[in-house]
Amino acid sequence: MPSAVDEMLRFDSPSQFDVFTVLEPHSFAGTDLKPGQGVMMMLGAANHDPERFDDPDAFDVARKENGHLSFAAGIHHCLGAHLARLQAEVVFGRLLSRFPKAEPAAAAVRHPGLGNRGFDSMPVNLAA
């Protein structure tokens, strides 16, 4: 279940971007950054980088190397990342142990939004 949860996070990151403020002068990828400037890190795009992930547009719950950035990184890494992973592992693990046959019942309806992704509804048929 842990690799499946990480793949869900990588494949369709709930947070698509993060914004940081430059604190000190810095040069990155040929661009000079000045204190006070905003920098947007595109987490969803980074999670589909073909230089980082083999076949990045394939959903693979057995993916071994899954260093996704869905929770950002470094000093900006999400404090709740471990809890979010644990919650997802428990929910999906228990759901699938109780209902091993889970299939879409209708088209999922995405929640509209630019920064945070999710679903307003995702009807499923569950069977033991």
Side-chain angles (χ1 to χ4, degrees), residues 40-83:
M40 183 179 290
M41 181 169 54
M42 304 305 293
L43 304 171
N47 286 339
H48 285 263
D49 183 351
E51 291 184 23
R52 179 150 178 122
F53 299 100
D54 291 333
D55 200 8
D57 294 329
F59 183 75
D60 179 6
V61 296
R63 189 179 295 274
K64 298 280 187 250
E65 300 296 321
N66 200 341
H68 63 79
L69 293 174
S70 297
F71 295 117
I75 64 169
H76 299 284
H77 190 263
C78 176
L79 290 174
H82 295 296
L83 178 59

